[in-house]
Amino acid sequence: MSDAYCIQINETGGPDVLTKVAMEPRQPGPGEALIRQSAIGLNFIDTYHRSGLYPVKMPFTLGSEAAGTVEAVGEGVENVKPGDRVAYLGSGTYATHFTGPASRLLVLPDGVSEEEGAAVILKGLTAWMLLFEVYRPEPGETALVWAPVGGVGSILVPWATSLGVRVIAVTSSEEKAGKAREIGAMDVIYAHEDVAGRARALTGGKGVDVSYDSVGKDSAKASLDSLKPRGWYVTFGNASGAVDPIAPGELSRRGSLVMTRPGLFHFVNTEEGLKKGAAALFGALRAGTIKAQVGQTFDLASAADAHRAIESGKTVGATLLKP
Ligand code: NDP
């Protein structure tokens, strides 16, 4: 009898809808690999699937990223072999085992642990997407970064800083402000302050070049009001809820702003995109430009507690689930 299990939902709702379900690991078919998982990254998107903000078909196994060791490969698989340590993006990773396309697996470089892999794969690729594929700030430009010490933020801030970008972080507490400064933020604004007024004051009245905004509903207006004419509003998350509709005239009135709502999948769905992002991510890790920041770890069976923690807004860095 296998002790394999996964965490599923049968209905949308609060963290209590997460249910532990016994499973039989599926043997890999052609082009697939079976992985024994050792660390699973928790992401805000998992809470959107659970709450119903992003609809999914039930029953649904949560989870979007993980790391582990290849146990078996199917016919025709050449890029990985049993024993390889890998990290990956995938759907249904809240589980002791995962079976999926081998072509999507990234072999972890020496020196990068499975915990680190699970902490950076989705969040680090998101930071790469934002800085290199969506709006690439020039040295000397100013970026407003919301949730600067969260899962994505704790990678985005040092990476942006390494490019010569001045980061103005927006966060909720003194403790987080201190951490944001430690990882490179030049200035910090508290979310309860007049964020746009402070951002303008810090840029000599000009406004910031770009706002990387993962907070969503509560921060949208402040992001728009903080930008210089022709600045970029990069809205990439909904931690406080989905952004209300913004009329094109609002962008024009503030000076021909650019608004974009990127989703990581569209940047890494091809093998070429995934390889490009992974090369940049592992390169930055190797160079020490960014670090995997594991802030808190929960048992996979206690995933509901992990959801409560991330939704409380009190977590820092990445949150991991351990089978
Ligand atoms: P975080 O670790 O950043 O946690 C969310 C943070 O948002 C909190 O710690 C808090 O930081 C801030 N926050 C502000 N308001 C709220 C609120 N009402 N409730 C909870 N948190 C709030 O999470 P992740 O790193 O996992 O994800 C960050 C964001 O990036 C999410 O919105 C996620 O959806 C998005 N994302 C988007 C992707 C894409 O492809 N578009 C891919 C990956 C992530 P503080 O205290 O500093 O304000």
Side-chain angles (χ1 to χ4, degrees):
M1 173 85 183
S2 153
D3 56 0
Y5 71 92
C6 63
I7 302 291
Q8 283 192 345
I9 53 170
N10 269 299
E11 56 180 327
T12 57
D16 290 342
V17 299
L18 268 57
T19 310
K20 182 177 170 181
V21 177
M23 66 180 258
E24 203 49 56
R26 186 170 65 77
Q27 287 308 306
E32 289 188 325
L34 165 66
I35 296 113
R36 176 180 283 276
Q37 309 211 116
S38 56
I40 298 148
L42 181 79
N43 288 284
F44 235 91
I45 192 171
D46 308 340
T47 70
Y48 307 150
H49 290 143
R50 191 209 72 221
S51 70
L53 181 65
Y54 293 176
V56 290
K57 206 163 156 259
M58 303 292 171
F60 183 75
T61 304
L62 292 166
S64 319
E65 68 177 336
T69 307
V70 175
E71 271 203 347
V73 297
E75 200 188 313
V77 171
E78 285 177 0
N79 63 317
V80 289
K81 58 183 186 316
D84 281 351
R85 298 177 320 111
V86 292
Y88 37 96
L89 305 173
S91 180
T93 58
Y94 281 21
T96 53
H97 298 74
F98 182 81
T99 308
S103 63
R104 304 293 294 169
L105 303 177
L106 300 166
V107 176
L108 288 168
D110 288 346
V112 179
S113 70
E114 287 164 37
E115 281 77 14
E116 289 170 324
V120 301
I121 199 73
L122 194 150
K123 299 162 186 78
L125 286 171
T126 302
W128 160 77
M129 166 191 84
L130 295 170
L131 288 174
F132 297 95
E133 301 286 305
V134 175
Y135 179 79
R136 186 177 187 144
E138 296 290 332
E141 287 194 346
T142 305
L144 202 61
V145 177
W146 297 78
V149 298
V152 176
S154 60
I155 300 174
L156 181 58
V157 169
W159 212 341
T161 305
S162 77
L163 301 174
V165 174
R166 175 188 178 192
V167 170
I168 303 178
V170 188
T171 190
S172 58
S173 71
E174 221 171 288
E175 194 194 341
K176 286 188 176 183
K179 286 194 169 31
R181 285 203 174 85
E182 274 170 30
I183 58 171
M186 189 98 75
D187 304 282
V188 179
I189 303 174
Y190 290 109
H192 63 263
E193 294 183 292
D194 168 12
V195 173
R198 292 263 290 118
R200 288 199 173 273
L202 287 166
T203 51
K206 179 173 158 240
V208 300
D209 296 278
V210 55
S211 177
Y212 295 112
D213 185 341
S214 63
V215 171
K217 189 178 177 68
D218 292 353
S219 53
K221 183 167 183 306
S223 271
L224 292 170
D225 288 344
S226 300
L227 290 165
K228 68 167 198 186
R230 298 180 60 187
W232 279 60
Y233 170 42
V234 181
T235 168
F236 70 99
N238 319 298
S240 66
V243 177
D244 291 323
I246 293 168
E250 291 291 319
L251 305 176
S252 164
R253 188 169 66 74
R254 289 175 171 86
S256 301
L257 301 183
V258 179
M259 169 172 152
T260 180
R261 202 326 183 168
L264 178 61
F265 176 76
H266 302 118
F267 294 78
V268 295
N269 56 350
T270 61
E271 214 174 307
E272 191 194 351
L274 183 63
K275 278 198 176 135
K276 187 176 171 194
L281 175 61
F282 291 140
L285 268 179
R286 236 189 336 262
T289 307
I290 58 169
K291 284 198 183 74
Q293 306 270 4
V294 179
Q296 44 284 308
T297 301
F298 294 80
D299 279 343
L300 174 59
S302 306
D305 291 336
H307 275 223
R308 286 186 197 98
I310 197 169
E311 288 183 302
S312 75
K314 299 221 163 58
T315 55
V316 292
T319 303
L320 293 187
L321 302 173
K322 300 275 286 176

